């Protein structure tokens, strides 16, 4: 499979065609969303060729522009989240902004939004108005709790989904508090689900000729990815407790400290791997124990197995442990921070973190597109653009004259 291409230019006007058209070429996406699931889903569509137009308020830019560290006053998170997007400004609550958006919608395939339910309707931009202008439109509505139900009116963020899905309840040490992730996990999972939902709705459109509404509640994808907890409780009354790094389904499975102060992670999800690990660490007699024959039995004796594996690893450096496990065909990985990720030869071979030219900051590195396609690969064509950088160009493409654009700007609509 061919490697993912890196970006070769840094602005929409400098775009050069790829020899093979990306799979979403010709798709137009209007990104009306902010922090973080909706914009991330739109970014994923843009990575594979969709034309994404990012619509921000003229006086209140997407908060991600100021989220996290900045360099020379330029928000770095936005450089990734805003990549492959043309940036325009519209005040959707104003008559001029509303009418301009409807003109954009007439030629769009997808709108992604994450306002509280009822907000677009209050502005005269609900599904009835949008689908009247464009019956083939797919409207992706990304909210904390969905478009209906007793919580639908509440503000919703990924942190709440991480709590309400059961994720936090099973994360952390047994005697510690429920633990939240130090990054936007729920938003990221919801973004993946939204991109999948949008492409599913577009596929359905080829058969029906009609668009539809995607109702994405951020609390739901998180519940889907934590496993069969609902089924376990329904059938067995079982509620999974916090187990730290250990698993209830197999052992040894943990992080272990090496003699040079590094950490490694060991997994033995397969029985054959568990046997190889115990032979490697010099405890083959444990393999003959009746409880060792399956993952559940091993998990019940995690103390014994952790002592066996952990004491062996503690006598070896990280490189020694990795080499020994590799030779034994057992599963191990170093615990990385971002410095290790950028230096790792496997990530480099995959071009997982790629260099993108940027007119504001020069060459910058960020995560590449999510996957490789052998015939129609995606690419990062440019990093996040300045606020409103493409407004005049996009509106001119709609047929607005310079005087009309100036008039909209004077009224605060753009």
């Amino acid at each position: 499979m061919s490697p993912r291409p890196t970006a070769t230019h840094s602005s929409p006007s400098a775009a050069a065609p790829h020899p093979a058209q990306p799979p979403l070429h010709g798709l137009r996406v209007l990104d009306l969303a902010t922090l973080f699931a909706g914009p991330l889903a739109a970014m994923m569509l843009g990575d594979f060729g969709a034309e994404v137009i990012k619509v921000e308020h003229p006086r209140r830019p997407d908060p991600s522009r100021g989220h996290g560290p900045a360099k020379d006053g330029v928000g770095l998170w936005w450089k990734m989240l805003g990549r492959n997007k043309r940036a325009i400004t519209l005040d959707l609550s104003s008559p001029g902004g509303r009418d301009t958006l409807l003109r954009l919608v007439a030629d769009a395939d997808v709108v992604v939004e994450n306002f509280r339910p009822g907000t677009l309707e209050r502005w005269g931009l609900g599904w009835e108005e949008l689908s009247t202008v464009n019956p083939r439109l797919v409207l992706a509505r990304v909210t904390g709790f969905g478009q209906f139900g007793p919580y639908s009116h509440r503000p919703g963020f990924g942190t709440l989904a991480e709590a309400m899905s059961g994720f936090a309840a099973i994360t952390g040490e047994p005697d510690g508090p429920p633990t939240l992730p130090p990054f936007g996990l729920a938003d990221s999972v919801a973004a993946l689900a939204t991109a999948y939902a949008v492409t599913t709705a577009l596929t359905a459109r080829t058969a029906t000729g009609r668009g539809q509404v995607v109702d994405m509640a951020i609390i739901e994808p998180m519940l889907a990815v934590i496993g069969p907890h609902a089924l376990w409780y329904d059938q067995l009354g079982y509620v999974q407790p916090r187990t730290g790094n250990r698993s209830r389904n197999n052992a040894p499975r943990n992080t272990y400290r090496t003699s040079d102060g590094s950490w490694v992670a060991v997994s033995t999800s397969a029985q054959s791997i568990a046997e190889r690990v115990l032979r490697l660490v010099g405890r083959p007699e444990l393999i003959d124990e009746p409880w060792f024959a399956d993952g559940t039995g091993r998990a019940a004796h995690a103390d014994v197995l952790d002592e066996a594996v952990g004491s062996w690893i503690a006598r070896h450096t990280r490189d020694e442990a990795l080499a020994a496990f590799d030779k034994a065909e057992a599963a191990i990985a170093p615990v990385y921070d971002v410095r290790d990720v950028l230096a790792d030869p496997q990530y480099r071979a995959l071009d997982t973190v790629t260099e993108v030219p940027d007119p504001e900051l020069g060459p910058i590195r960020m995560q590449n597109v999510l996957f490789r396609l052998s015939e129609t690969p995606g690419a990062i064509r440019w990093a996040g653009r300045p606020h409103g950088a493409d407004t005049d160009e996009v509106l001119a493409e709609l047929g607005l004259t310079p005087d009309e654009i100036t008039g909209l700007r004077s009224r605060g609509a753009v």
Side-chain angles (χ1 to χ4, degrees):
M1 187 168 287
S2 60
R4 291 174 290 199
T6 57
T8 57
H9 46 81
S10 56
S11 71
S13 60
H18 191 275
Q21 294 285 18
L24 300 183
H25 175 76
L27 197 73
R28 173 172 275 199
V29 178
L30 304 181
D31 175 9
L32 315 184
T34 60
L35 294 176
F36 277 102
L40 186 57
M43 184 205 83
M44 293 172 183
L45 298 173
D47 284 351
F48 284 89
E51 178 198 1
V52 181
I53 298 175
K54 174 68 177 181
V55 180
E56 299 174 79
H57 193 280
R59 294 164 295 282
R60 295 190 297 275
D62 189 315
S64 66
R65 290 184 180 272
H67 211 81
K71 180 181 179 183
D72 300 332
V74 178
L76 297 177
W77 203 325
W78 168 253
K79 284 296 176 185
M80 179 177 173
L81 192 64
R83 73 192 194 192
N84 293 335
K85 300 179 183 181
R86 303 168 77 190
I88 73 168
T89 59
L90 287 177
D91 180 355
L92 302 182
S93 66
S94 72
R98 173 191 180 274
D99 293 344
T100 304
L101 182 75
L102 288 175
R103 292 182 66 168
L104 284 167
V105 165
D107 194 36
D109 297 282
V110 180
V111 169
V112 181
E113 65 97 1
N114 70 339
F115 300 105
R116 287 199 211 181
T119 300
L120 284 185
E121 286 75 8
R122 189 169 68 250
W123 294 339
L125 292 169
W127 175 241
E128 182 177 349
E129 291 85 359
L130 298 181
S131 61
T132 297
V133 169
N134 184 353
R136 291 174 55 81
L137 183 74
V138 171
L139 174 61
R141 316 196 75 168
V142 186
T143 58
F145 303 101
Q147 294 295 310
F148 57 91
Y151 302 161
S152 60
H153 67 285
R154 296 182 181 178
F157 299 98
T159 297
L160 308 188
E162 289 147 10
M164 291 182 62
S165 64
F167 171 84
I170 63 173
T171 304
E173 294 300 322
D175 56 352
T179 302
L180 297 167
F183 63 97
L185 176 62
D187 279 294
S188 300
V189 173
L192 286 163
T194 301
Y196 167 48
V198 165
T199 54
T200 300
L202 291 170
T203 300
R205 188 180 71 174
T206 63
T208 67
R210 301 187 306 277
Q212 59 184 298
V213 176
V214 172
D215 181 3
M216 179 60 63
I218 296 176
I219 58 173
E220 292 184 302
M222 277 299 296
L223 189 62
V225 301
I226 63 172
H229 289 202
L231 181 59
W232 287 342
Y233 180 74
D234 176 65
Q235 295 298 303
L236 303 173
Y238 174 72
V239 178
Q240 180 171 324
R242 288 187 290 283
T243 59
N245 288 329
R246 288 180 173 177
S247 168
R248 302 283 290 189
N249 304 310
N250 67 80
R253 190 263 196 181
N254 214 325
T255 57
Y256 306 94
R257 193 165 191 171
T258 63
S259 64
D260 55 353
S262 297
W263 290 87
V264 294
V266 172
S267 175
T268 57
S269 296
Q271 181 69 22
S272 60
I273 299 295
E275 294 175 6
R276 292 172 195 168
V277 169
L278 269 295
R279 292 191 185 98
L280 170 63
V281 301
R283 299 295 301 275
E285 75 281 1
L286 294 176
I287 299 173
D288 296 327
E289 294 287 347
W291 49 261
F292 197 89
D294 58 58
T296 302
R298 298 198 311 274
H301 293 79
D303 287 342
V304 174
L305 296 173
D306 273 345
E307 190 283 326
V309 175
S311 62
W312 184 92
I313 289 176
R315 299 192 300 271
H316 295 79
T317 67
R318 186 180 79 169
D319 288 347
E320 290 170 345
L322 294 176
F325 269 69
D326 186 49
K327 184 177 180 180
E329 298 184 1
I332 191 172
V335 176
Y336 278 171
D337 64 21
V338 67
R339 294 167 295 186
D340 302 308
V341 169
L342 293 178
D344 183 86
Q346 181 63 31
Y347 280 129
R348 286 186 173 182
L350 296 174
D351 196 30
T352 305
V353 178
T354 195
E355 186 174 280
V356 181
D358 182 71
E360 292 184 284
L361 299 176
I364 57 178
R365 288 188 289 177
M366 66 177 69
Q367 292 95 316
N368 209 331
V369 300
L370 276 173
F371 47 86
R372 286 165 294 281
L373 297 178
S374 62
E375 298 299 322
T376 56
I380 303 172
R381 303 185 298 282
W382 61 84
R385 304 268 289 152
H387 181 231
D390 305 298
T391 301
D392 287 11
E393 183 179 44
V394 170
L395 297 187
E397 291 169 2
L398 275 180
L400 275 69
T401 67
D403 287 345
E404 288 174 317
I405 296 171
T406 299
L408 287 171
R409 186 167 280 116
S410 68
R411 296 193 297 275
V414 301

